[in-house]
Every structure is written in C-alpha cells, then in structure tokens.
Amino acid sequence: MKRFAKILIASICSFIVFFSVSQAANASYAVIDADTGRLLFGSHVHEQKPIASLTKMWTALIAIENNELSEEVEISRQAALSEGSSIYLEPGEKVTIEELLYGLMLRSGNDAAYALAEHTGGSIEGFADLMNEKARIYGLNNTYFTNPSGLHNDLHLSSAYDTAQMLRIAMQNDTFKKISSTINYKSPSKNGVTWQNKHRLLRQQVGAVSGKTGFTKVAGRTLATYFEQDQEKVIVVTLSESNDWQVHKSLANKVFSEYDYVTIADKGEYKATEDKTVELKKPISILLNKEEEKKLQNVLHLSRKQDEFGIWHVMLNNESIYSTRVDLK
C-alpha cells in the first residue's frame, strides 16, 4: 500500500463536491464506497426518478428507529387491502414489528409497509413526513417520499446516488443489516411459512450481502445491492435497468478489480507549523483506483486561532473526498 504523508496548510474554506455524470440513455446508476459514501462512478446519478420498492429500505430504517421489535401491530383494513405485492396480512390480526420488517424487506410486502407506517407515524402522511425529515437531515436533496411502499406518485422520487446513500446509512443499523441480509425467514403468524429474500444475488457467491429489489410499470426494474469482498465494501444502485442482476455483478467486479484501499496517512503526529503538530488518531484509508492515487493531496485547514484544531482533507482534483478533525499540539 502507498502512504502519503505530505500536508499542505491552508486557511478554513468550504468545498463543494461536483461529480461528473456520464451520458447514457434511460437507466441511471451509482456506485459508491460503502464506508465513506464517496461516489466512485455512475451515470445520471443525481437525476430524479421513481425508485419503486427501494423506498422500503428507508421505511424499514424509520420503523426500526421508532419502535421495539417486539411491539405488536393490529393490522387495519386499509393495510390489509394495500395494492401490489403482499405478505397476505388479515384485518384485525396482530403481528410484531419484527415480522413486519422481514415481510417488508424479504417479500416487499406493501401491506407490511402500510401497517408499519400507520403504527409508527399515525398515518401514511405522518410517516411520509418522518421519511422526508430524515432524508433532509442526511442531505438527500433529490429525494421526496409520499408513501412507505414506493407505489407510483408523480412526486415520489429519488436518485441513484441518494438511494445508494440510503442503503449505506441503513446498513449502519445492526437490526436493518441483520434483516436485510437474511435469505430465508419463517413467519410465526403464517404457520411457519418460509419467506425467501427476493434479492437473488444474496443467494449467489458474488459478494452480495444485502439490498432491495423494486418494480413498477413507471419505474421499471430498480435494484440496490451492498457488496463486500475482503476489505472492500461497495453499493450499487440501478434505476430503470432491465438487465440489473448482471449489471450489478459487473459493476461490483469493476470496483473489486480496479480499486484498492490505500493508506493515505498513518496514525500518529504530523508537523503542521514551526511549533505545532497535529495528531491523527487512526489511519486514513480510502478506496481508490491507480489514477486517483497519483492525484491525491493532503490539505490541513487550521482554525483561525491556530491553537485549537484543524481539519485534515484528502483532496482529489481540487475536491475534498475525505475529511477529519485533528487536534493541534
């Protein structure tokens, strides 16, 4: 691994990151580093599109964060009659949050989505407000939700990049990670019927560990996949891509063959000024291809007082692709 230790000193300023978007027809896709969220490559990554049931990744996370898994939900008539894919909930039956989440993520049950939304947000509209609030907190600026399932609505839109970030954020939650990575689950309320995860790549030896499928007539096929190979973790999202299974494998393989984790700076102290040093409390390692390795710079932005802290930026093509606070000594 290459190691970069040279630091450039600069005054505090702001960096706005613009990603180039290759031109392609119809389909859009984004491939991001699952650790840092950095966009590696893609096409029409910020274009707003319907994402169909990829919506349910965000629904699951909101429900997990606002409920206990053991809580029971009484299924309403409206939830049981939800349009589209279903886990066949019955009005009046009681089902735990945990089972509804498995039905949501493995079988893409719109009835499960509706029941979770009603229980968590008080109504579909209330739950959509929770979804949008969290999207704003995470800077998902091309995302807007009107419902918990992804059924078509002209205003219900996201982008390939934002959707990839949704999966990255959700995978930081251990409960979401466990549920979304499950291949088979026996439903307690359905007499032990086994629900198999619709995401077929999880059942293949291709490094896929989590994700979500989606489809509506308007959105076409949508797919999100979290891949791991050795230390490398990558998320692929395709929207309106008919050959999505093969495309996801190909894009993940491209990352695994062309990118490596590079240690930019080791843990330790670095000279910042004549009489000051900064301390990195852990190494900086970033997923990079060989061309990117050649263009990196480390830039240290000191606070105006120059006796408190600094921000260590890793720069690529004059853009900050990683930053961390460092203490001055």
Side-chain angles (χ1 to χ4, degrees):
M1 286 187 178
K2 294 186 178 180
R3 289 172 169 80
F4 300 81
K6 185 177 179 181
I7 308 174
L8 301 179
I9 309 299
S11 60
I12 285 183
C13 61
S14 298
F15 293 92
I16 302 175
V17 182
F18 297 94
F19 300 112
S20 63
V21 180
S22 59
Q23 299 300 311
N26 260 348
S28 65
Y29 73 93
V31 182
I32 69 169
D33 178 350
D35 281 332
T36 66
R38 181 171 82 95
L39 178 70
L40 303 180
F41 49 88
S43 175
H44 301 288
V45 293
H46 299 303
E47 181 180 335
Q48 284 191 308
K49 287 178 173 289
I51 62 170
S53 286
L54 302 193
T55 298
K56 290 167 182 155
M57 299 186 298
W58 211 236
T59 297
L61 182 60
I62 301 293
I64 289 167
E65 290 182 340
N66 288 277
N67 298 288
E68 296 295 329
L69 296 181
S70 59
E71 286 180 42
E72 286 193 333
V73 178
E74 184 170 342
I75 306 304
S76 70
R77 184 173 183 277
Q78 290 82 0
L81 296 177
S82 295
E83 174 187 354
S85 55
S86 174
I87 57 171
Y88 306 106
L89 297 173
E90 298 290 340
E93 74 171 310
K94 293 183 178 180
V95 184
T96 64
I97 292 288
E98 182 176 33
E99 185 173 357
L100 290 173
L101 286 166
Y102 277 101
L104 179 80
M105 290 301 298
L106 273 62
R107 300 307 299 167
S108 205
N110 288 350
D111 48 357
Y114 203 116
L116 287 166
E118 285 184 324
H119 182 80
T120 306
S123 65
I124 296 301
E125 295 76 18
F127 189 80
D129 287 343
L130 294 176
M131 298 174 77
N132 289 320
E133 180 182 8
K134 193 169 188 70
R136 286 192 297 272
I137 289 171
Y138 281 99
L140 306 181
N141 297 322
N142 289 313
T143 297
Y144 186 79
F145 299 104
T146 64
N147 65 74
S149 64
L151 286 175
H152 182 70
N153 181 298
D154 287 343
L155 299 178
H156 190 107
L157 300 167
S158 188
S159 66
Y161 175 79
D162 279 11
T163 306
Q165 296 296 341
M166 286 183 219
L167 181 52
R168 183 179 75 88
I169 294 161
M171 284 291 283
Q172 295 169 10
N173 182 287
D174 290 339
T175 299
F176 178 93
K177 184 175 183 179
K178 177 184 176 183
I179 291 171
S180 64
S181 301
T182 297
I183 295 174
N184 294 300
Y185 173 80
K186 287 188 176 181
S187 164
S189 70
K190 303 300 177 186
N191 298 317
V193 170
T194 298
W195 292 337
Q196 186 175 71
N197 199 315
K198 288 186 175 183
H199 199 311
R200 68 168 69 167
L201 296 186
L202 272 61
R203 303 193 296 274
Q204 301 177 12
Q205 300 300 312
V206 294
V209 297
S210 175
K212 186 72 188 72
T213 61
F215 175 81
T216 66
K217 289 181 179 179
V218 177
R221 292 178 64 87
T222 62
L223 188 65
T225 312
Y226 188 109
F227 291 92
E228 289 184 4
Q229 181 173 292
D230 300 324
Q231 293 182 338
E232 298 179 26
K233 300 174 184 178
V234 61
I235 292 171
V236 179
V237 168
T238 52
L239 304 178
S240 191
E241 171 56 65
S242 59
N243 192 30
D244 49 10
W245 302 119
Q246 188 57 46
V247 167
H248 276 233
K249 289 188 288 185
S250 297
L251 292 174
N253 287 335
K254 176 180 173 66
V255 175
F256 296 146
S257 63
E258 297 180 9
Y259 287 73
D260 288 298
Y261 270 107
V262 178
T263 299
I264 310 304
D266 288 311
K267 174 183 176 181
E269 293 188 1
Y270 292 82
K271 188 173 182 180
T273 66
E274 286 297 324
D275 58 349
K276 294 288 184 181
T277 62
V278 294
E279 181 184 8
L280 271 180
K281 295 183 178 179
K282 62 180 181 179
I284 298 175
S285 297
I286 301 177
L287 196 59
L288 299 163
N289 62 33
K290 293 189 181 300
E291 287 302 311
E292 291 172 335
E293 286 183 42
K294 300 173 185 177
K295 301 174 182 177
L296 290 182
Q297 285 184 313
N298 289 294
V299 177
L300 180 63
H301 292 170
L302 299 179
S303 62
R304 283 194 172 89
K305 293 182 180 179
Q306 293 195 2
D307 60 358
E308 296 178 355
F309 68 92
I311 304 296
W312 185 311
H313 290 274
V314 178
M315 307 295 294
L316 177 64
N317 298 325
N318 295 318
E319 298 169 356
S320 177
I321 63 170
Y322 177 90
S323 63
T324 187
R325 176 173 167 148
V326 289
D327 294 326
L328 273 78
K329 293 187 174 182

Short mmCIF file of all heavy atoms in Angstrom, two decimals, residues 130-163:
data_model
loop_
_atom_site.label_atom_id
_atom_site.label_comp_id
_atom_site.label_asym_id
_atom_site.label_seq_id
_atom_site.Cartn_x
_atom_site.Cartn_y
_atom_site.Cartn_z
N LEU A 130 -42.00 11.77 8.43
CA LEU A 130 -40.82 11.25 9.12
C LEU A 130 -39.73 10.85 8.12
O LEU A 130 -38.54 11.11 8.34
CB LEU A 130 -41.19 10.04 9.98
CG LEU A 130 -42.10 10.27 11.18
CD1 LEU A 130 -42.43 8.94 11.86
CD2 LEU A 130 -41.46 11.23 12.18
N MET A 131 -40.15 10.23 7.03
CA MET A 131 -39.20 9.82 6.00
C MET A 131 -38.51 11.03 5.38
O MET A 131 -37.28 11.04 5.19
CB MET A 131 -39.92 9.03 4.90
CG MET A 131 -40.57 7.73 5.38
SD MET A 131 -41.55 6.93 4.09
CE MET A 131 -40.25 6.18 3.09
N ASN A 132 -39.27 12.06 5.08
CA ASN A 132 -38.71 13.24 4.44
C ASN A 132 -37.82 14.03 5.39
O ASN A 132 -36.80 14.59 4.98
CB ASN A 132 -39.83 14.12 3.89
CG ASN A 132 -40.50 13.51 2.68
OD1 ASN A 132 -39.84 12.93 1.83
ND2 ASN A 132 -41.82 13.61 2.60
N GLU A 133 -38.21 14.06 6.66
CA GLU A 133 -37.39 14.76 7.65
C GLU A 133 -36.01 14.11 7.76
O GLU A 133 -34.98 14.80 7.77
CB GLU A 133 -38.09 14.74 9.01
CG GLU A 133 -37.30 15.45 10.11
CD GLU A 133 -37.99 15.37 11.47
OE1 GLU A 133 -38.99 14.64 11.59
OE2 GLU A 133 -37.50 16.03 12.40
N LYS A 134 -35.99 12.78 7.80
CA LYS A 134 -34.70 12.08 7.90
C LYS A 134 -33.89 12.24 6.62
O LYS A 134 -32.66 12.36 6.66
CB LYS A 134 -34.93 10.60 8.20
CG LYS A 134 -33.65 9.88 8.64
CD LYS A 134 -33.95 8.51 9.17
CE LYS A 134 -32.69 7.88 9.77
NZ LYS A 134 -32.28 8.54 11.03
N ALA A 135 -34.56 12.26 5.48
CA ALA A 135 -33.86 12.48 4.21
C ALA A 135 -33.18 13.85 4.20
O ALA A 135 -32.04 13.99 3.74
CB ALA A 135 -34.83 12.36 3.04
N ARG A 136 -33.87 14.85 4.72
CA ARG A 136 -33.28 16.20 4.78
C ARG A 136 -32.08 16.23 5.72
O ARG A 136 -31.05 16.86 5.42
CB ARG A 136 -34.32 17.22 5.24
CG ARG A 136 -35.36 17.58 4.19
CD ARG A 136 -36.17 18.79 4.59
NE ARG A 136 -36.95 18.59 5.80
CZ ARG A 136 -38.18 18.09 5.82
NH1 ARG A 136 -38.78 17.73 4.68
NH2 ARG A 136 -38.83 17.94 6.97
N ILE A 137 -32.19 15.54 6.85
CA ILE A 137 -31.08 15.51 7.81
C ILE A 137 -29.82 14.97 7.16
O ILE A 137 -28.71 15.46 7.42
CB ILE A 137 -31.47 14.67 9.04
CG1 ILE A 137 -32.52 15.40 9.88
CG2 ILE A 137 -30.25 14.34 9.91
CD1 ILE A 137 -33.13 14.56 10.99
N TYR A 138 -29.97 13.96 6.31
CA TYR A 138 -28.83 13.33 5.67
C TYR A 138 -28.46 13.95 4.33
O TYR A 138 -27.59 13.44 3.62
CB TYR A 138 -29.07 11.82 5.51
CG TYR A 138 -28.84 11.06 6.79
CD1 TYR A 138 -29.89 10.69 7.61
CD2 TYR A 138 -27.55 10.72 7.19
CE1 TYR A 138 -29.66 9.99 8.80
CE2 TYR A 138 -27.31 10.02 8.36
CZ TYR A 138 -28.37 9.66 9.15
OH TYR A 138 -28.14 8.98 10.33
N GLY A 139 -29.10 15.05 3.97
CA GLY A 139 -28.73 15.75 2.75
C GLY A 139 -29.13 15.04 1.48
O GLY A 139 -28.49 15.22 0.43
N LEU A 140 -30.20 14.25 1.54
CA LEU A 140 -30.70 13.57 0.34
C LEU A 140 -31.61 14.54 -0.41
O LEU A 140 -32.83 14.44 -0.38
CB LEU A 140 -31.43 12.28 0.73
CG LEU A 140 -30.63 11.31 1.61
CD1 LEU A 140 -31.45 10.06 1.90
CD2 LEU A 140 -29.30 10.94 0.96
N ASN A 141 -30.99 15.47 -1.11
CA ASN A 141 -31.70 16.63 -1.64
C ASN A 141 -32.54 16.34 -2.87
O ASN A 141 -33.36 17.17 -3.27
CB ASN A 141 -30.70 17.74 -1.95
CG ASN A 141 -29.99 18.23 -0.71
OD1 ASN A 141 -30.58 18.32 0.36
ND2 ASN A 141 -28.70 18.51 -0.83
N ASN A 142 -32.33 15.18 -3.49
CA ASN A 142 -33.13 14.81 -4.66
C ASN A 142 -34.18 13.77 -4.33
O ASN A 142 -34.69 13.08 -5.22
CB ASN A 142 -32.22 14.30 -5.78
CG ASN A 142 -31.40 15.41 -6.41
OD1 ASN A 142 -31.94 16.47 -6.73
ND2 ASN A 142 -30.11 15.20 -6.54
N THR A 143 -34.51 13.67 -3.05
CA THR A 143 -35.44 12.63 -2.58
C THR A 143 -36.67 13.25 -1.94
O THR A 143 -36.57 14.16 -1.13
CB THR A 143 -34.73 11.72 -1.56
OG1 THR A 143 -33.64 11.04 -2.21
CG2 THR A 143 -35.68 10.70 -0.98
N TYR A 144 -37.84 12.70 -2.30
CA TYR A 144 -39.09 13.10 -1.66
C TYR A 144 -40.03 11.90 -1.64
O TYR A 144 -40.21 11.22 -2.66
CB TYR A 144 -39.76 14.27 -2.39
CG TYR A 144 -40.98 14.79 -1.65
CD1 TYR A 144 -40.84 15.62 -0.55
CD2 TYR A 144 -42.26 14.42 -2.05
CE1 TYR A 144 -41.96 16.08 0.15
CE2 TYR A 144 -43.38 14.88 -1.37
CZ TYR A 144 -43.22 15.70 -0.27
OH TYR A 144 -44.32 16.15 0.42
N PHE A 145 -40.61 11.63 -0.47
CA PHE A 145 -41.49 10.48 -0.29
C PHE A 145 -42.93 10.91 -0.09
O PHE A 145 -43.20 11.90 0.60
CB PHE A 145 -41.06 9.66 0.93
CG PHE A 145 -39.67 9.10 0.87
CD1 PHE A 145 -38.64 9.68 1.60
CD2 PHE A 145 -39.39 8.00 0.09
CE1 PHE A 145 -37.36 9.16 1.56
CE2 PHE A 145 -38.11 7.47 0.03
CZ PHE A 145 -37.09 8.06 0.77
N THR A 146 -43.86 10.16 -0.65
CA THR A 146 -45.29 10.37 -0.38
C THR A 146 -45.93 9.15 0.26
O THR A 146 -47.05 9.23 0.75
CB THR A 146 -46.06 10.69 -1.67
OG1 THR A 146 -46.00 9.56 -2.56
CG2 THR A 146 -45.49 11.91 -2.37
N ASN A 147 -45.24 8.01 0.26
CA ASN A 147 -45.79 6.79 0.83
C ASN A 147 -44.66 5.86 1.24
O ASN A 147 -43.50 6.05 0.83
CB ASN A 147 -46.75 6.11 -0.17
CG ASN A 147 -46.03 5.63 -1.42
OD1 ASN A 147 -45.32 4.65 -1.41
ND2 ASN A 147 -46.22 6.36 -2.53
N PRO A 148 -44.95 4.81 2.03
CA PRO A 148 -43.89 3.94 2.56
C PRO A 148 -43.52 2.76 1.66
O PRO A 148 -42.58 2.03 1.99
CB PRO A 148 -44.50 3.43 3.86
CG PRO A 148 -45.97 3.34 3.56
CD PRO A 148 -46.26 4.50 2.66
N SER A 149 -44.23 2.57 0.56
CA SER A 149 -44.01 1.36 -0.25
C SER A 149 -43.34 1.62 -1.58
O SER A 149 -42.73 0.71 -2.16
CB SER A 149 -45.35 0.66 -0.50
OG SER A 149 -46.20 1.50 -1.28
N GLY A 150 -43.45 2.83 -2.09
CA GLY A 150 -42.88 3.13 -3.41
C GLY A 150 -43.89 3.03 -4.53
O GLY A 150 -43.51 3.12 -5.72
N LEU A 151 -45.18 2.81 -4.21
CA LEU A 151 -46.21 2.86 -5.25
C LEU A 151 -46.15 4.21 -5.94
O LEU A 151 -45.85 5.24 -5.33
CB LEU A 151 -47.59 2.64 -4.64
CG LEU A 151 -47.93 1.21 -4.22
CD1 LEU A 151 -49.29 1.17 -3.52
CD2 LEU A 151 -47.93 0.27 -5.42
N HIS A 152 -46.44 4.22 -7.23
CA HIS A 152 -46.16 5.42 -8.02
C HIS A 152 -46.98 6.62 -7.58
O HIS A 152 -48.18 6.55 -7.35
CB HIS A 152 -46.41 5.17 -9.50
CG HIS A 152 -46.07 6.38 -10.33
ND1 HIS A 152 -44.77 6.79 -10.51
CD2 HIS A 152 -46.85 7.28 -10.96
CE1 HIS A 152 -44.76 7.89 -11.24
NE2 HIS A 152 -46.01 8.22 -11.53
N ASN A 153 -46.27 7.71 -7.47
CA ASN A 153 -46.84 9.04 -7.27
C ASN A 153 -45.88 9.99 -7.98
O ASN A 153 -44.65 9.84 -7.86
CB ASN A 153 -46.95 9.38 -5.78
CG ASN A 153 -47.56 10.75 -5.52
OD1 ASN A 153 -47.01 11.78 -5.92
ND2 ASN A 153 -48.68 10.76 -4.83
N ASP A 154 -46.39 10.93 -8.73
CA ASP A 154 -45.53 11.81 -9.52
C ASP A 154 -44.51 12.56 -8.67
O ASP A 154 -43.46 12.97 -9.18
CB ASP A 154 -46.37 12.82 -10.31
CG ASP A 154 -47.10 12.17 -11.49
OD1 ASP A 154 -46.70 11.05 -11.88
OD2 ASP A 154 -48.06 12.77 -12.00
N LEU A 155 -44.81 12.75 -7.38
CA LEU A 155 -43.90 13.48 -6.50
C LEU A 155 -42.93 12.57 -5.75
O LEU A 155 -41.97 13.05 -5.14
CB LEU A 155 -44.71 14.30 -5.48
CG LEU A 155 -45.64 15.37 -6.05
CD1 LEU A 155 -46.41 16.05 -4.92
CD2 LEU A 155 -44.86 16.40 -6.87
N HIS A 156 -43.18 11.27 -5.78
CA HIS A 156 -42.38 10.31 -5.02
C HIS A 156 -41.14 9.94 -5.86
O HIS A 156 -41.19 9.07 -6.73
CB HIS A 156 -43.22 9.06 -4.73
CG HIS A 156 -42.59 8.12 -3.76
ND1 HIS A 156 -43.04 7.98 -2.46
CD2 HIS A 156 -41.55 7.27 -3.87
CE1 HIS A 156 -42.32 7.06 -1.84
NE2 HIS A 156 -41.40 6.61 -2.68
N LEU A 157 -40.02 10.61 -5.57
CA LEU A 157 -38.84 10.50 -6.42
C LEU A 157 -37.57 10.46 -5.59
O LEU A 157 -37.53 10.95 -4.47
CB LEU A 157 -38.77 11.69 -7.38
CG LEU A 157 -39.93 11.90 -8.35
CD1 LEU A 157 -39.84 13.28 -8.98
CD2 LEU A 157 -39.95 10.81 -9.42
N SER A 158 -36.54 9.89 -6.18
CA SER A 158 -35.20 9.96 -5.61
C SER A 158 -34.20 9.92 -6.76
O SER A 158 -34.57 10.16 -7.91
CB SER A 158 -34.96 8.82 -4.61
OG SER A 158 -33.73 8.99 -3.93
N SER A 159 -32.96 9.60 -6.46
CA SER A 159 -31.93 9.48 -7.50
C SER A 159 -31.10 8.25 -7.18
O SER A 159 -31.14 7.72 -6.06
CB SER A 159 -31.03 10.72 -7.52
OG SER A 159 -30.28 10.81 -6.32
N ALA A 160 -30.32 7.80 -8.14
CA ALA A 160 -29.46 6.64 -7.91
C ALA A 160 -28.48 6.92 -6.77
O ALA A 160 -28.24 6.07 -5.91
CB ALA A 160 -28.72 6.27 -9.19
N TYR A 161 -27.92 8.12 -6.76
CA TYR A 161 -26.95 8.49 -5.72
C TYR A 161 -27.61 8.53 -4.34
O TYR A 161 -27.10 7.94 -3.38
CB TYR A 161 -26.32 9.83 -6.05
CG TYR A 161 -25.39 10.35 -4.98
CD1 TYR A 161 -24.09 9.85 -4.87
CD2 TYR A 161 -25.80 11.33 -4.08
CE1 TYR A 161 -23.23 10.32 -3.88
CE2 TYR A 161 -24.95 11.80 -3.09
CZ TYR A 161 -23.66 11.29 -3.00
OH TYR A 161 -22.82 11.75 -2.02
N ASP A 162 -28.74 9.23 -4.24
CA ASP A 162 -29.43 9.31 -2.95
C ASP A 162 -29.85 7.93 -2.45
O ASP A 162 -29.75 7.63 -1.25
CB ASP A 162 -30.68 10.19 -3.07
CG ASP A 162 -30.36 11.68 -3.00
OD1 ASP A 162 -29.17 12.05 -3.06
OD2 ASP A 162 -31.31 12.48 -2.89
N THR A 163 -30.32 7.08 -3.36
CA THR A 163 -30.77 5.75 -2.95
C THR A 163 -29.61 4.91 -2.46
O THR A 163 -29.74 4.14 -1.49
CB THR A 163 -31.50 5.06 -4.12
OG1 THR A 163 -32.55 5.91 -4.59
CG2 THR A 163 -32.10 3.73 -3.68
#
